[in-house]
Amino acid sequence: MKIAVLPGDGIGPEVTREAISVLESVGIADLTLFDGDVGGIAYKRHGHPLPAETLTMAREADAILFGAVGDPDCDGLERSLRPEQAILGLRKELDLFANLRPAKVYKGLEHLSPLNPEIASTLDLLIVRELTGDVYFGDKGERIAEDGGREGWDMMSYSETEVRRIARVAFRAARSGDCRVCSVDKANVLETSQVWRDTVKGAADSHPDIDLSHMYVDNAAMQVISNPSQFGVILTGNLFGDILSDLASAAVGSIGLLASASLGDRQTAYGTFGLYEPIHGSAPDIAGQGKANPMACILSAAMMLRHSFEMEAEAARIEAAVERALADGIRGGDLGGDHGTEAVGAAVRERL
Ligand code: NAD
Ligand code: IPM
Ligand code: MN
């Protein structure tokens, strides 16, 4: 089983190191790891954030463990050379159109959430975010406005085909819960969202067991915080999913706890090909200080075992060890504690 490990920038290498060490402690035979450069570090070494050899390695792997990309030194580069293009390029090139971002408040750990504990305890949802379309991948550019100043523009669009395939992922995911799907859009303003909403409704016709509702994104942001129990699966587009998932992470307690899986249709000999990454970024403000919470990356590795290697028992063991560590008071600085990256990793391994 081949895993391409792409640590990237900032805290990426710090958190992936712990996740790999947890994977190794689970005792899986036949695991081969390949390391590749992505992001700012790849630009500095190879002149491109997603070098051809890294893309080839990713394609040839059965799964990818991704840390984070982003480097303030690179923010002035032309867009195609910026570190973030590495993750966007991987998602697009590998057709990883379905991003699963689970968020839940663990029992007994409601106090980690800034929400009132009675509300926090009901938060257990899955964001199914479309990942290869929307305003992220439309034409974009800059032009001179009529008043002579600069004007930036980005084209937002969704085709029925794109919406239908992500809707199906959400419906399937909802079946392992209570079949509730809330599709989040901005159909009161955007044509893109009107096509989204109509297509999701149409797709639901052949899934009569699904309890489908629709909500505007501004209201959804408010409802996730004020009444999270109404959500099972949130189905949404690329931009809204990006924003709502950081919002959900804050409601859980920290962005250092939220994992993700990015999946497409391709099957390998072991399961579904996918890329796994924490939802957080390279956190330049704490990079190199050994402070980053590796739990999100460790939980992403668990998702990898579940989806790409069909090792449900091992995935559940890792998730239980993280939960146990949290229950035992192991906390990174993001959760108000003083456990560093390595200490958190060690605490999880001890509890496997
Ligand atoms: P960020 O997620 O990197 O950081 C936001 C805040 O959360 C910071 O205060 C940071 O210290 C904290 N934080 C994040 N992860 C943490 C962890 N594991 N443990 C403890 N604290 C943590 O978002 P940002 O500051 O907006 O972006 C920084 C860079 O990362 C930018 O270049 C951005 O483009 C990039 N980014 C990359 C990805 C990715 O690679 N998938 C995701 C988001 C942002
Ligand atoms: C994420 C990140 C990325 C995104 C950036 C780094 C391109 O914020 O994975 O949530 O916007 O998708
Ligand atoms: Mn994001």
Side-chain angles (χ1 to χ4, degrees):
M1 299 185 299
K2 290 183 280 187
I3 302 180
V5 182
L6 310 179
D9 305 316
I11 64 169
E14 301 169 43
V15 297
T16 39
R17 199 175 303 127
E18 297 308 320
I20 293 295
S21 155
V22 166
L23 272 182
E24 288 171 345
S25 302
V26 180
I28 306 164
D30 297 334
L31 208 57
T32 314
L33 306 177
F34 298 86
D35 276 317
D37 287 333
V38 276
I41 183 83
Y43 172 74
K44 285 171 187 163
R45 289 185 182 155
H46 313 276
H48 197 278
L50 181 57
E53 53 270 38
T54 301
L55 184 56
T56 303
M57 178 192 297
R59 269 189 216 289
E60 290 175 353
D62 299 304
I64 302 158
L65 184 68
F66 188 92
V69 289
D71 178 346
D73 289 352
C74 297
D75 287 346
L77 292 173
E78 68 170 85
R79 190 164 298 282
S80 67
L81 295 176
R82 291 203 207 156
E84 290 81 355
Q85 294 303 312
I87 186 62
L88 297 174
L90 283 164
R91 291 168 180 170
K92 193 71 174 175
E93 288 290 329
L94 304 174
D95 202 20
L96 299 169
F97 64 87
N99 187 213
L100 310 184
R101 297 189 159 187
K104 77 166 173 184
V105 171
Y106 296 111
K107 286 236 164 347
L109 297 170
E110 296 80 8
H111 56 285
L112 299 181
S113 169
L115 304 183
N116 164 336
E118 286 94 72
I119 294 176
S121 64
T122 67
L123 192 154
D124 184 359
L125 54 84
L126 173 71
I127 296 176
V128 175
R129 171 191 178 196
E130 200 288 331
L131 205 57
T132 52
D134 203 353
V135 68
Y136 271 60
F137 292 97
D139 282 347
K140 55 189 79 226
E142 190 178 315
R143 59 193 168 209
I144 302 298
E146 278 175 17
D147 65 4
R150 293 170 66 194
E151 181 174 271
W153 59 275
D154 301 82
M155 159 86 169
M156 175 183 264
S157 70
Y158 264 125
S159 71
E160 289 179 312
T161 307
E162 289 175 303
V163 179
R164 225 176 269 125
R165 67 178 186 170
I166 191 69
R168 272 190 232 116
V169 172
F171 297 159
R172 238 180 282 134
R175 291 208 172 98
S176 51
D178 58 9
C179 291
R180 275 178 306 161
V181 174
C182 179
S183 173
V184 170
D185 62 36
K186 188 74 187 171
N188 50 347
V189 177
L190 302 172
E191 289 306 316
T192 307
S193 283
Q194 193 60 55
V195 170
W196 174 280
R197 188 174 285 218
D198 295 346
T199 308
V200 170
K201 278 185 188 159
D205 287 346
S206 46
H207 296 77
D209 58 321
I210 296 298
D211 172 9
L212 177 67
S213 59
H214 303 269
M215 196 180 283
Y216 299 132
V217 63
D218 46 354
N219 184 27
M222 183 174 80
Q223 298 291 335
V224 165
I225 297 297
S226 54
N227 182 13
S229 68
Q230 70 189 287
F231 298 107
V233 169
I234 292 178
L235 162 63
T236 192
N238 206 344
L239 182 63
F240 300 153
D242 180 43
I243 298 166
L244 290 177
S245 55
D246 271 30
L247 180 80
S249 80
V252 168
S254 167
I255 197 165
L257 294 177
L258 255 72
S260 86
S262 304
L263 308 172
D265 286 327
R266 184 150 76 86
Q267 298 297 311
T268 70
Y270 307 102
T272 304
F273 176 72
L275 180 151
Y276 301 85
E277 56 167 331
I279 78 157
H280 63 71
S282 57
D285 53 333
I286 57 164
Q289 300 173 30
K291 281 192 197 166
N293 185 351
M295 284 175 166
C297 196
I298 292 171
L299 292 168
S300 301
M303 291 186 89
M304 169 190 290
L305 295 185
R306 173 169 298 122
H307 294 283
S308 285
F309 299 116
E310 295 183 359
M311 293 179 155
E312 176 57 37
E314 289 82 354
R317 261 178 76 205
I318 294 176
E319 288 164 350
V322 168
E323 195 170 342
R324 187 73 250 159
L326 287 168
D328 290 343
I330 306 295
R331 308 259 191 281
D334 55 325
L335 292 168
D338 54 10
H339 292 86
T341 311
E342 286 178 14
V344 173
V348 172
R349 287 195 300 277
E350 274 163 30
R351 288 163 178 79
L352 272 177

